[in-house]
Amino acid sequence: MTLHHGVPRRSLLIAAAGTGLASLAAGLQLPPLAFTSRQLVNGLTVMALPVASTSVSVQLWYRVGSKHDPAGRSGLAHLFEHLMFKSTRHMANEQFDRMTEDVGGNNNAFTAEDMTVYHCTVPSNHLEPVLWAEAERMANLNLDQANFDSEREVVKEEFRQRVLADPYGLLFNAISSYGYQQHPYKRPVIGNIAELDAATLRDVREFHSAFYRPDNALLIVAGEFDASQLDRWVDHYFGSIRAPASPVPKIASAEPRRAREEFHHLPARAPLPAALVIWQGPKAASELAPALQVAQALLAQGDSARLTEALVYRQRVAQSVGFDALLNADAGLLAAYAVSTGALSGELLLKQLVAEVERLAHEPVLPEELAKAKAQLLNKLLVERETPEGRALALGHALLLRGDASLAERELAQLQAVGVADVQRALRRHVLQAAKVSVLYGDKR
């Protein structure tokens, strides 16, 4: 598609952004994350991050994710995300919601491949009750059949809505299954109905004993608080929780480099065919990770991104496109997709999709285009750091994914330092010189 006398749409938007983006991005600075860290006798890691605010964020990060699901029991870590909101010895079902939402706060949780995280934000004067409640959930969760059965049904319904009801849900849910060869990351975080049905209360209790323990947890408190008072409360409520004598189970599985390309057809009743391409990516701690974040922005962030401009606007062969760097603690994936307009078969759409990703790896990139992509990333990062919750999340991700919480402070500088050569070096390594997995979805032609 062209506008304004034949000038490509993407070029117009990049030019409109102006060369000032480069100097703007270079001048951005993150506020320092002046956190302290200590460890209790029972192994609980505690990070405190003072932030001038009227609220406080309390986050409990457990080093357990879908990679820890037992064989034949995928979805167990995700199921626990739900179980932790049920009753404990001293709290009724959903009482944690009342303790946070009814005082003007909020709470939520998420499960990923390497972690399960419980986070809430409340007015600062409600910090102590929340610390008590988190310690109570860690030590005294009621793992009975009624709670297990009810939350298993909730998770199964979530699977039906996210995966089965969405016309392209099965495709996106299959990325990890096709992308990984042997690492437990192969198991989708959400699990599946058959393995959830196969799980027993004994499985749940064993899983809880193995992973929901102080020496496998990270407590982050960010916001307005008195540091000495926080230490006393943490010692009082968490210090008495004993760590089991047995060690935390470790995942030793490594992911080998893919030797051969693969092609799969995933039948589905989709309105239009889709194409998916998966390459192996590095660990989240890789020196190439910032360059791949910039590559993701260049390819798929915003209406002027390369995949959108080429496949949606100019060639009109795709109605939606995407590219993501899915980097975890042990290994990662790069995934690109396109949903067809019906103008091309899945096979031809697949070729066009691969060609556009590969083009970024070896063709010139305008300085203005790079500056715009980096400015988008830096703006997103700065917005996320405006709240105590966002700063705490940055610390937790840096520690659990990259092994060093202080890297959260260097993230902006690392992105600012990325040049075109860095982006293309990362794509040569992980795209041009790598075997890919191609998936056609819903196209039988």
Side-chain angles (χ1 to χ4, degrees):
M1 173 183 289
T2 57
L3 298 173
H4 297 280
H5 307 291
V7 180
R9 183 178 188 276
R10 178 166 58 86
S11 298
L12 277 172
L13 291 174
I14 292 169
T19 56
L21 281 173
S23 58
L24 174 63
L28 291 173
Q29 291 186 342
L30 280 174
L33 298 174
F35 67 93
T36 60
S37 180
R38 67 189 182 103
Q39 191 171 68
L40 304 191
V41 174
N42 59 15
L44 176 69
T45 301
V46 183
M47 288 185 179
L49 176 59
V51 180
S53 174
T54 59
S55 63
V56 63
S57 175
V58 178
Q59 302 180 5
L60 203 56
W61 297 62
Y62 288 93
R63 296 177 178 88
V64 55
S66 61
K67 71 179 182 183
H68 299 95
D69 289 341
R73 297 293 185 269
S74 66
L76 210 55
H78 177 228
L79 175 59
F80 252 99
E81 175 195 324
H82 292 255
L83 284 170
M84 286 286 279
F85 289 92
K86 304 303 285 185
S87 64
T88 71
R89 183 182 301 171
H90 301 109
M91 287 199 301
N93 282 341
E94 325 304 338
Q95 186 174 336
F96 193 85
D97 291 335
R98 306 284 63 79
M99 294 177 65
T100 53
E101 295 172 2
D102 290 1
V103 299
N106 61 75
N107 74 80
N108 214 327
F110 64 86
T111 307
E113 288 81 358
D114 299 292
M115 66 197 73
T116 307
V117 183
Y118 303 87
H119 54 98
C120 71
T121 300
V122 294
S124 298
N125 60 324
H126 286 271
L127 172 58
E128 184 182 8
V130 169
L131 291 172
W132 169 81
E134 286 291 13
E136 172 71 10
R137 294 203 294 182
M138 178 186 288
N140 297 314
L141 189 66
N142 280 339
L143 294 174
D144 56 34
Q145 194 68 46
N147 284 343
F148 171 51
D149 289 342
S150 69
E151 294 313 297
R152 175 166 55 183
E153 291 305 311
V154 171
V155 173
K156 286 163 60 177
E157 184 58 28
E158 190 175 325
F159 180 88
R160 295 184 186 101
Q161 291 180 6
R162 289 188 183 182
V163 179
L164 300 183
D166 186 326
Y168 299 94
L170 287 170
L171 176 66
F172 297 123
N173 192 59
I175 290 175
S176 57
S177 302
Y178 286 128
Y180 291 104
Q181 300 168 85
Q182 64 184 42
H183 195 282
Y185 289 150
K186 282 180 65 69
R187 302 186 291 246
V189 173
I190 199 169
N192 63 67
I193 290 178
E195 295 192 17
L196 287 167
D197 279 338
T200 66
L201 184 59
R202 179 177 179 180
D203 294 328
V204 168
R205 288 174 172 167
E206 290 177 351
F207 192 85
H208 183 268
S209 297
F211 298 108
Y212 276 76
R213 43 196 280 176
D215 55 341
N216 198 43
L218 164 66
L219 173 67
I220 305 178
V221 179
E224 190 72 38
F225 56 83
D226 178 88
S228 58
Q229 181 66 78
L230 173 64
D231 285 344
R232 289 194 293 271
W233 284 337
V234 170
D235 291 342
H236 178 68
Y237 294 119
F238 288 92
S240 61
I241 302 175
R242 293 184 179 181
S246 58
V248 179
K250 301 298 181 183
I251 300 298
S253 179
E255 179 68 8
R257 187 163 175 82
R258 186 175 294 279
R260 297 185 303 275
E261 297 204 343
E262 293 182 11
F263 181 89
H264 300 275
H265 175 238
L266 184 57
R269 292 183 177 179
L272 291 164
L276 170 69
V277 190
I278 309 166
W279 298 269
Q280 284 183 300
K283 299 178 181 180
S286 167
E287 63 174 8
L288 296 178
L292 289 170
Q293 286 181 267
V294 175
Q296 175 179 318
L298 285 165
L299 287 166
Q301 187 162 309
D303 286 344
S304 62
R306 287 182 166 227
L307 290 178
T308 304
E309 190 275 333
L311 302 183
V312 177
Y313 292 120
R314 189 173 70 244
Q315 300 175 30
R316 301 184 183 182
V317 297
Q319 60 171 308
S320 63
V321 293
F323 179 91
D324 206 353
L326 306 166
L327 310 185
N328 300 313
D330 302 335
L333 299 175
L334 306 178
Y337 78 90
V339 177
S340 176
T341 59
L344 293 180
S345 67
E347 289 90 343
L348 291 176
L349 181 62
L350 182 67
K351 290 180 181 179
Q352 296 292 87
L353 178 62
V354 172
E356 287 301 322
V357 175
E358 291 182 346
R359 189 165 68 86
L360 179 58
H362 55 70
E363 290 189 6
V365 177
L366 293 173
E368 294 85 355
E369 182 183 6
L370 178 67
K372 180 174 184 289
K374 290 166 66 173
Q376 289 173 322
L377 289 172
L378 297 174
N379 178 69
K380 181 175 181 292
L381 191 152
L382 288 168
V383 169
E384 290 172 349
R385 303 291 175 92
E386 287 183 349
T387 64
E389 179 182 20
R391 297 187 194 185
L393 287 169
L395 285 176
H397 277 117
L399 180 60
L400 269 66
L401 290 180
R402 303 171 68 188
D404 184 354
S406 67
L407 289 174
E409 292 196 288
R410 289 176 253 166
E411 188 175 359
L412 186 142
Q414 290 174 333
L415 287 171
Q416 287 172 319
V418 172
V420 173
D422 301 309
V423 172
Q424 295 186 327
R425 178 166 63 95
L427 290 178
R428 283 196 300 270
R429 164 68 173 148
H430 292 288
V431 172
L432 296 185
Q433 300 169 4
K436 64 182 179 294
V437 177
S438 301
V439 183
L440 291 185
Y441 182 78
D443 190 324
K444 300 182 179 179
R445 285 182 286 173

